[in-house]
Amino acid sequence: METVLSGIRSTGNLHLGNYFGAIKNFIKMQHENRCYFFIADYHSLTTHPTPEDLHQNVKQVLVEYLAAGIDPEVATLYIQSDVPEVAELYLLLSMNAYMGELERCTTFKEKARKQPDNINAGLLTYPVLMAADILIHKAHKVPVGKDQEQHLEMARTFGNRFNRLYKTDYFPEPVAFNFGVELIKIPGLDGSTKMGKSEGEGNAIYLADDEKVIRKKIMRAVSDSGPTEMNQPKSQPIENLFNIMNVVSSPDTVAHFEALYNKCEIRYGDMKKQLAEDVIAFTAPLRERILEIGADDAYLSKVARMGAEKARESASKTIKEVREIIGFKPF
Ligand code: AMP
């Protein structure tokens, strides 16, 4: 069985894009692999959150992943900072990570541009921490988005460099986990091709949004003035509405509106009303679970403890072996 690891940003509520693009796959994957999912709260310190925000953000993310269907009994779901072995491996790997390669990393350059007043060392060594996250469990596969490919490449570099330096084959080479044909991209409601949390108000539908908010967002979604000839190609905003409909509505509903569109008889208001009801039907049970789990501190504490315990079991084994390889030997 292969070990799969995925990091989860510790800020931001989950939206439909995250659900269909990542979590749905995680839910399936957890039964087929040895899965580690961790909430990356050490990483989030690069932006200096307040202690209250840090805790609240981690809690919200934990609650939403559980509500969406990550099973903490099946997968190992843990909070990064509960596993200090990660920080130790990060320190050890950083001794063989070079300034030049870290500075050349595109995500570093981008972040440095975005927060010019706070270009801290944590930003620079972000890929080293990410390598530690992956190597600590000797993960084989990492589901990564396009923006993370370079980080995964660096994790391979650091693992291989360690192997070469100490003449060992200790760390396996982690490769990108490919969801294959199931990879779908959920577009935004603002006419943009991607639903995302940093795309601005009204772009994304969150799993925690209530009915009123969902209706309002969808009714305000960007559309166009309607088709003027039969079988006209769709504009991007209309394509987007159909794409979202494709994942939440029944095939009959989609076919119904496709036919109306092709006959130039579509009324976007009607389509949006239907879409809103179908999104609500889809997200309502998730939202209910979010509220329920969010109020159950005892359960959350149990989940976090169990995750930390399972993750530390694997992490402490790695650290012990790495220490020995490096030459830290007990007297
Ligand atoms: P983010 O927190 O926005 O970086 O998203 C985390 C993961 O969710 C990404 O790596 C993707 O797998 C998935 N994801 C985010 N937005 C979308 C989207 N609009 N459509 C499909 N998948 C998405």
Side-chain angles (χ1 to χ4, degrees):
M1 196 184 254
E2 286 189 309
T3 300
V4 178
L5 172 125
S6 184
I8 300 165
R9 265 167 237 234
S10 67
T11 51
N13 293 47
L14 293 177
H15 51 68
L16 283 182
N18 297 131
Y19 184 82
F20 287 103
I23 300 171
K24 220 174 147 211
N25 294 312
F26 290 170
I27 294 167
K28 187 155 165 270
M29 207 156 89
Q30 65 185 346
H31 297 288
E32 298 158 0
N33 303 275
R34 195 181 306 108
C35 283
Y36 290 90
F37 300 119
F38 71 94
I39 301 174
D41 60 345
Y42 278 147
H43 284 285
S44 76
L45 296 184
T46 54
T47 58
H48 303 169
T50 65
E52 295 74 24
D53 282 351
L54 179 67
H55 182 73
Q56 190 47 42
N57 290 341
V58 170
K59 177 179 170 182
Q60 188 62 26
V61 172
L62 181 62
V63 167
E64 295 197 354
Y65 271 80
L66 290 167
I70 300 290
D71 184 342
E73 304 276 350
V74 177
T76 300
L77 175 62
Y78 65 99
I79 297 158
Q80 187 185 30
S81 64
D82 280 343
V83 184
E85 289 82 359
V86 171
E88 182 170 352
L89 186 58
Y90 162 68
L91 178 138
L92 299 174
L93 292 175
S94 72
M95 303 300 168
N96 304 312
Y98 296 99
M99 283 293 282
E101 64 190 343
L102 296 172
E103 279 169 345
R104 276 195 302 276
C105 186
T106 24
T107 45
F108 170 68
K109 287 195 242 169
E110 222 169 84
K111 294 238 176 84
R113 214 173 22 242
K114 265 194 209 153
Q115 48 184 80
D117 300 328
N118 180 21
I119 308 177
N120 56 64
L123 273 187
L124 184 69
T125 58
Y126 201 96
V128 186
L129 182 52
M130 190 165 153
D133 292 324
I134 297 168
L135 298 175
I136 198 80
H137 300 300
K138 301 172 80 177
H140 305 105
K141 299 234 160 129
V142 186
V144 286
K146 267 252 165 283
D147 58 332
Q148 299 290 325
E149 264 166 23
Q150 196 177 22
H151 283 159
L152 187 58
E153 180 62 41
M154 292 183 90
R156 278 195 287 272
T157 301
F158 298 142
N160 286 335
R161 197 174 283 160
F162 178 95
N163 287 353
R164 262 199 314 279
L165 183 62
Y166 296 106
K167 300 185 176 52
T168 162
D169 56 1
Y170 186 71
F171 287 120
E173 260 200 358
V175 296
F177 188 98
N178 195 345
F179 292 121
V181 286
E182 285 163 54
L183 197 64
I184 43 170
K185 188 159 131 192
I186 304 294
L189 294 175
D190 56 357
S192 69
T193 56
K194 190 173 176 219
M195 185 174 284
K197 62 175 170 288
S198 45
E199 313 295 321
E201 256 315 286
N203 159 288
I205 300 164
Y206 293 97
L207 303 185
D209 280 347
D210 67 25
E211 296 188 9
K212 235 173 96 194
V213 170
I214 292 175
R215 281 198 193 96
K216 200 161 114 187
K217 282 184 180 172
I218 293 181
M219 295 316 286
R220 285 186 185 169
V222 177
S223 60
D224 61 20
S225 49
T228 48
E229 38 183 285
M230 307 279 264
N231 302 317
Q232 190 177 312
K234 299 186 186 88
S235 66
Q236 188 64 53
I238 300 307
E239 185 73 38
N240 290 356
L241 293 180
F242 273 99
N243 281 344
I244 300 174
M245 194 169 236
N246 261 323
V247 294
V248 294
S249 306
S250 73
D252 287 351
T253 303
V254 180
H256 169 73
F257 286 102
E258 286 278 2
L260 289 176
Y261 180 88
N262 287 332
K263 287 188 287 183
C264 299
E265 287 170 13
I266 193 158
R267 293 201 331 216
Y268 293 138
D270 293 346
M271 181 185 180
K272 287 177 173 179
K273 263 190 209 140
Q274 180 66 48
L275 180 61
E277 292 321 302
D278 291 343
V279 167
I280 289 166
F282 179 81
T283 55
L286 290 170
R287 180 166 183 271
E288 227 168 83
R289 298 255 308 141
I290 290 171
L291 296 175
E292 200 181 300
I293 296 173
D296 194 345
D297 285 339
Y299 175 67
L300 288 172
S301 150
K302 189 182 129 204
V303 166
R305 241 181 303 124
M306 185 168 64
E309 210 171 282
K310 285 200 276 179
R312 289 196 75 178
E313 203 182 300
S314 146
S316 58
K317 181 170 179 288
T318 304
I319 278 295
K320 184 170 171 287
E321 290 166 353
V322 164
R323 282 174 147 269
E324 272 168 25
I325 291 170
I326 289 180
F328 291 131
K329 295 213 169 84
F331 285 98

Short mmCIF file of all heavy atoms in Angstrom, two decimals, residues 301-323:
data_model
loop_
_atom_site.label_atom_id
_atom_site.label_comp_id
_atom_site.label_asym_id
_atom_site.label_seq_id
_atom_site.Cartn_x
_atom_site.Cartn_y
_atom_site.Cartn_z
N SER A 301 -11.35 17.39 19.93
CA SER A 301 -10.15 17.15 20.72
C SER A 301 -9.72 15.69 20.57
O SER A 301 -8.52 15.39 20.45
CB SER A 301 -10.46 17.56 22.17
OG SER A 301 -9.72 16.82 23.06
N LYS A 302 -10.70 14.79 20.53
CA LYS A 302 -10.38 13.37 20.36
C LYS A 302 -9.74 13.13 18.98
O LYS A 302 -8.73 12.43 18.86
CB LYS A 302 -11.68 12.54 20.50
CG LYS A 302 -11.43 11.06 20.54
CD LYS A 302 -12.73 10.30 20.64
CE LYS A 302 -12.76 9.23 19.57
NZ LYS A 302 -14.03 8.77 19.13
N VAL A 303 -10.32 13.75 17.96
CA VAL A 303 -9.80 13.58 16.59
C VAL A 303 -8.37 14.10 16.50
O VAL A 303 -7.48 13.44 15.94
CB VAL A 303 -10.70 14.31 15.57
CG1 VAL A 303 -10.02 14.44 14.21
CG2 VAL A 303 -12.04 13.60 15.43
N ALA A 304 -8.14 15.29 17.07
CA ALA A 304 -6.80 15.90 16.99
C ALA A 304 -5.78 15.03 17.73
O ALA A 304 -4.66 14.82 17.26
CB ALA A 304 -6.83 17.31 17.55
N ARG A 305 -6.18 14.52 18.87
CA ARG A 305 -5.27 13.68 19.66
C ARG A 305 -4.93 12.39 18.92
O ARG A 305 -3.78 11.97 18.84
CB ARG A 305 -5.90 13.35 21.02
CG ARG A 305 -5.06 13.89 22.18
CD ARG A 305 -5.65 13.55 23.53
NE ARG A 305 -7.01 14.05 23.68
CZ ARG A 305 -8.06 13.30 23.98
NH1 ARG A 305 -7.93 12.01 24.18
NH2 ARG A 305 -9.26 13.84 24.12
N MET A 306 -5.98 11.79 18.36
CA MET A 306 -5.79 10.52 17.64
C MET A 306 -4.88 10.75 16.42
O MET A 306 -3.97 9.95 16.15
CB MET A 306 -7.16 10.00 17.20
CG MET A 306 -7.14 8.66 16.55
SD MET A 306 -8.83 8.02 16.40
CE MET A 306 -9.57 9.21 15.29
N GLY A 307 -5.12 11.86 15.71
CA GLY A 307 -4.31 12.17 14.52
C GLY A 307 -2.86 12.38 14.90
O GLY A 307 -1.95 11.85 14.25
N ALA A 308 -2.65 13.15 15.96
CA ALA A 308 -1.28 13.45 16.40
C ALA A 308 -0.56 12.16 16.78
O ALA A 308 0.60 11.96 16.44
CB ALA A 308 -1.32 14.42 17.58
N GLU A 309 -1.28 11.31 17.46
CA GLU A 309 -0.67 10.05 17.91
C GLU A 309 -0.23 9.19 16.72
O GLU A 309 0.90 8.70 16.68
CB GLU A 309 -1.71 9.29 18.74
CG GLU A 309 -1.13 8.42 19.82
CD GLU A 309 -2.25 7.91 20.71
OE1 GLU A 309 -2.73 8.69 21.58
OE2 GLU A 309 -2.66 6.76 20.49
N LYS A 310 -1.14 9.05 15.76
CA LYS A 310 -0.82 8.22 14.58
C LYS A 310 0.32 8.85 13.78
O LYS A 310 1.23 8.16 13.33
CB LYS A 310 -2.06 8.04 13.69
CG LYS A 310 -3.07 7.06 14.26
CD LYS A 310 -4.02 6.55 13.18
CE LYS A 310 -5.17 7.50 12.94
NZ LYS A 310 -6.11 7.05 11.88
N ALA A 311 0.26 10.18 13.61
CA ALA A 311 1.29 10.85 12.80
C ALA A 311 2.64 10.79 13.51
O ALA A 311 3.68 10.60 12.87
CB ALA A 311 0.89 12.30 12.55
N ARG A 312 2.63 10.93 14.82
CA ARG A 312 3.91 10.92 15.56
C ARG A 312 4.55 9.54 15.58
O ARG A 312 5.77 9.42 15.66
CB ARG A 312 3.71 11.43 16.99
CG ARG A 312 3.45 12.92 17.02
CD ARG A 312 3.63 13.49 18.39
NE ARG A 312 5.04 13.61 18.76
CZ ARG A 312 5.47 14.12 19.90
NH1 ARG A 312 4.58 14.54 20.79
NH2 ARG A 312 6.74 14.21 20.16
N GLU A 313 3.70 8.53 15.50
CA GLU A 313 4.24 7.18 15.47
C GLU A 313 5.14 7.02 14.24
O GLU A 313 6.28 6.54 14.34
CB GLU A 313 3.07 6.19 15.41
CG GLU A 313 3.41 4.82 15.90
CD GLU A 313 2.20 3.91 15.74
OE1 GLU A 313 1.15 4.22 16.35
OE2 GLU A 313 2.32 2.93 14.99
N SER A 314 4.62 7.46 13.10
CA SER A 314 5.40 7.36 11.86
C SER A 314 6.56 8.36 11.87
O SER A 314 7.68 8.04 11.49
CB SER A 314 4.43 7.60 10.69
OG SER A 314 5.04 8.26 9.64
N ALA A 315 6.30 9.58 12.35
CA ALA A 315 7.31 10.64 12.30
C ALA A 315 8.48 10.35 13.24
O ALA A 315 9.64 10.58 12.89
CB ALA A 315 6.67 11.98 12.67
N SER A 316 8.20 9.81 14.41
CA SER A 316 9.29 9.60 15.35
C SER A 316 10.19 8.45 14.89
O SER A 316 11.40 8.46 15.12
CB SER A 316 8.78 9.37 16.78
OG SER A 316 7.91 8.28 16.79
N LYS A 317 9.60 7.50 14.18
CA LYS A 317 10.40 6.41 13.62
C LYS A 317 11.38 6.99 12.60
O LYS A 317 12.57 6.68 12.62
CB LYS A 317 9.46 5.38 12.97
CG LYS A 317 10.16 4.19 12.38
CD LYS A 317 9.13 3.12 11.98
CE LYS A 317 9.80 1.90 11.36
NZ LYS A 317 10.33 2.12 10.03
N THR A 318 10.87 7.85 11.73
CA THR A 318 11.73 8.48 10.71
C THR A 318 12.84 9.29 11.36
O THR A 318 14.02 9.16 11.00
CB THR A 318 10.90 9.38 9.77
OG1 THR A 318 9.85 8.61 9.20
CG2 THR A 318 11.75 9.98 8.67
N ILE A 319 12.47 10.12 12.33
CA ILE A 319 13.48 10.98 12.96
C ILE A 319 14.56 10.15 13.64
O ILE A 319 15.75 10.46 13.56
CB ILE A 319 12.80 11.96 13.96
CG1 ILE A 319 12.24 13.15 13.20
CG2 ILE A 319 13.74 12.43 15.06
CD1 ILE A 319 13.30 14.03 12.53
N LYS A 320 14.15 9.09 14.29
CA LYS A 320 15.12 8.23 14.98
C LYS A 320 16.11 7.67 13.95
O LYS A 320 17.33 7.70 14.17
CB LYS A 320 14.36 7.10 15.69
CG LYS A 320 15.22 6.19 16.51
CD LYS A 320 14.34 5.27 17.37
CE LYS A 320 15.16 4.20 18.05
NZ LYS A 320 15.62 3.14 17.14
N GLU A 321 15.59 7.19 12.84
CA GLU A 321 16.46 6.60 11.81
C GLU A 321 17.34 7.66 11.14
O GLU A 321 18.52 7.43 10.90
CB GLU A 321 15.60 5.85 10.78
CG GLU A 321 14.97 4.60 11.38
CD GLU A 321 13.83 3.96 10.57
OE1 GLU A 321 13.41 4.56 9.55
OE2 GLU A 321 13.37 2.89 10.97
N VAL A 322 16.76 8.83 10.90
CA VAL A 322 17.52 9.91 10.26
C VAL A 322 18.66 10.35 11.17
O VAL A 322 19.79 10.57 10.73
CB VAL A 322 16.58 11.09 9.92
CG1 VAL A 322 17.36 12.36 9.63
CG2 VAL A 322 15.71 10.75 8.72
N ARG A 323 18.37 10.47 12.46
CA ARG A 323 19.41 10.86 13.42
C ARG A 323 20.57 9.86 13.39
O ARG A 323 21.74 10.25 13.42
CB ARG A 323 18.83 10.91 14.84
CG ARG A 323 18.02 12.17 15.12
CD ARG A 323 17.37 12.06 16.49
NE ARG A 323 17.28 13.37 17.11
CZ ARG A 323 18.20 13.89 17.91
NH1 ARG A 323 19.27 13.20 18.23
NH2 ARG A 323 18.04 15.09 18.41
#
